[in-house]
Amino acid sequence: RAVDSACKSIGRTVQVFMDGGIMRGTDVLKALALGADVVMVGRPVVWGLACEGEKGVHHVLSLLRDELVLAMKLCGVTSIKDITPNIVQHESHYRSKL
């Protein structure tokens, strides 16, 4: 939600960098859909580094990439450029239907 409101308030005069809370490829997809131009990954990379050094970092980044690609396929998106806000629905959208 913060990414979405930040992007709306600043318009497209600057690039939006999302840093924090990215743990899965679906998090990357949501951040991009809500307007982030760049998504930074910190904690998972540090965990990979702590566990297996360079090999661990490579593994973590591969997992994130694979999860992002799968999430994009499930949304019917084939390119980062095709990610749009309409692929993300806030949970309140579904609660109002009950």
Side-chain angles (χ1 to χ4, degrees):
R1 292 176 110 186
V3 174
D4 187 37
S5 61
C7 290
K8 286 178 182 173
S9 67
I10 63 168
R12 296 311 301 174
T13 58
V14 298
Q15 285 191 321
V16 176
F17 287 52
M18 170 70 179
D19 185 19
I22 303 298
M23 304 298 266
R24 297 178 182 88
T26 52
D27 297 328
V28 175
L29 179 68
K30 289 183 276 187
L32 293 171
L34 294 174
D37 296 299
V38 176
V39 180
M40 294 187 247
V41 181
R43 197 175 313 160
V45 171
V46 172
W47 290 339
L49 182 64
C51 290
E52 293 188 56
E54 182 180 344
K55 181 180 175 185
V57 171
H58 184 266
H59 181 69
V60 166
L61 293 175
S62 293
L63 286 173
L64 283 169
R65 182 194 60 232
D66 293 347
E67 290 172 358
L68 173 60
V69 169
L70 176 60
M72 288 172 58
K73 287 178 182 178
L74 291 170
C75 291
V77 176
T78 57
S79 168
I80 296 289
K81 295 176 185 175
D82 297 332
I83 297 173
T84 60
N86 68 340
I87 65 171
V88 177
Q89 291 289 336
H90 189 268
E91 63 184 29
S92 61
H93 172 79
Y94 299 103
R95 287 185 184 163
S96 66
K97 307 287 185 211
L98 296 177

